[in-house]
Amino acid sequence: MPQIADDAPPSVEELEGYVRRGSAWVAATDPDVPEAYLLADRIDDVLHIEQVSVDPTYARLGRGRELIEHAARQAAELSCSALTLTAFVTVPWNAPYYRRLGFMEIPDGGLSPGLAAVRRREAEIGLDRWPRTAMRRTLAY
């Protein structure tokens, strides 16, 4: 999937929008060295994880999981019913990883209007070239 790996990161303007909305979180041991980040959007009655990125130097240290757990706590404070995300089905650090964190696949017919719109946008930019799925983790807080 070199096309995905070569994608440009979000623009400064996009990141600033997430920061203004309070839905951008960074994991860092040293304040000057970001190790991972998570961006989220409120969609329908859920908090949707738009992106989780971990610097390869800090892979397999739990940074992504820590950010997802933080997002779950934030979602609960917002009275969201769940976390959602979209993932590549066969990429080990995508859908299989999220299943281990309690996410379940959502059948296409079970998508909320907002999540269906996310999937359409992903298809428009070509992410559907590889098997992709929407996933949900119900919050029990």
Side-chain angles (χ1 to χ4, degrees), residues 43-97:
I43 296 178
D44 304 320
D45 71 332
V46 304
L47 189 64
H48 179 73
I49 297 172
E50 176 59 33
Q51 183 170 355
V52 179
S53 291
V54 178
D55 182 313
T57 304
Y58 301 99
R60 305 189 60 77
L61 297 176
R63 300 301 187 263
R65 183 183 64 249
E66 290 168 3
L67 287 168
I68 290 169
E69 294 308 321
H70 179 78
R73 290 188 298 275
Q74 295 300 308
E77 287 182 18
L78 294 169
S79 299
C80 293
S81 64
L83 289 176
T84 60
L85 51 80
T86 57
F88 294 105
V89 173
T90 59
V91 176
W93 60 88
N94 250 214
Y97 171 73

Side-chain angles (χ1 to χ4, degrees), residues 6-29:
D6 291 339
D7 275 355
S11 69
V12 171
E13 293 79 18
E14 287 175 283
L15 293 172
E16 286 174 342
Y18 282 99
V19 170
R20 276 193 306 278
R21 292 189 298 274
S23 58
W25 300 291
V26 176
T29 306

Side-chain angles (χ1 to χ4, degrees), residues 77-134:
E77 287 182 18
L78 294 169
S79 299
C80 293
S81 64
L83 289 176
T84 60
L85 51 80
T86 57
F88 294 105
V89 173
T90 59
V91 176
W93 60 88
N94 250 214
Y97 171 73
Y98 296 123
R99 278 188 213 101
R100 289 193 302 274
L101 296 182
F103 287 84
M104 307 278 293
E105 290 186 33
I106 306 168
D108 285 338
L111 299 178
S112 68
L115 198 49
V118 168
R119 295 284 286 126
R120 281 192 300 277
R121 279 193 305 277
E122 290 179 346
E124 289 170 5
I125 63 171
L127 290 179
D128 61 343
R129 289 178 283 178
W130 303 277
R132 210 152 159 76
T133 189

